[in-house]
Amino acid sequence: QVQLVESGGGSVQAGGSLRLSCAASGRTSDQYDMGWFRQAPGKEREFVAAVSWNGDYKHYADPVKGRFIISRDNAKNTQYLQMNRLKPEDSAVYYCVADNRFRLASDWGDANQYEHWGRGTQVFVSS
């Protein structure tokens, strides 16, 4: 089992930046792909970004491409989401996810592909 704890959320004005972190504990010796999803009030949960266990492959949802950067430091068992040029529509609870199973490229954005979830961290972007 892997436990995930997010941090770094908060309030920021539009155009600003935030950096989310997700610390993993437990069976971190396994090769877990990791990622981020988000959910705004009244909206469906949506994929944000994901990174392969070795950091070689990164996937981004179209709304965040060019603004968000996902990375990981396996020595620290931590992944990061650098969020730049934030917009009010980025406001949501952001969830860290992890899974060690194989997935097709087309499945990286599927929430069902990730077994482990953190509790989430709130991000609010004011206009």
Side-chain angles (χ1 to χ4, degrees), residues 7-108:
S7 61
S11 296
V12 64
Q13 288 189 328
S17 298
L18 281 175
R19 188 195 196 200
L20 305 184
S21 299
C22 173
S25 60
R27 289 186 58 176
T28 56
S29 60
D30 290 347
Q31 297 172 347
Y32 284 90
D33 299 324
M34 301 185 76
W36 297 89
F37 282 75
R38 67 186 182 186
Q39 187 167 21
K43 293 189 176 181
E44 297 283 324
R45 182 174 51 189
E46 64 175 354
F47 170 72
V48 177
V51 58
S52 62
W53 68 271
N54 59 3
D56 284 352
Y57 299 99
K58 299 179 180 180
H59 307 260
Y60 295 94
D62 286 343
V64 307
K65 281 181 181 177
R67 299 188 298 123
F68 290 11
I69 301 171
I70 191 170
S71 62
R72 65 188 296 163
D73 184 342
N74 287 343
K76 297 181 178 179
N77 296 321
T78 301
Q79 72 157 340
Y80 306 95
L81 185 68
Q82 177 66 43
M83 306 187 294
N84 301 319
R85 305 200 312 271
L86 282 161
K87 305 175 181 179
E89 52 263 43
D90 293 319
S91 298
V93 176
Y94 283 71
Y95 297 93
C96 173
V97 298
D99 197 278
N100 64 348
R101 295 169 294 179
F102 171 79
R103 69 188 52 72
L104 299 172
S106 58
D107 290 337
W108 281 82

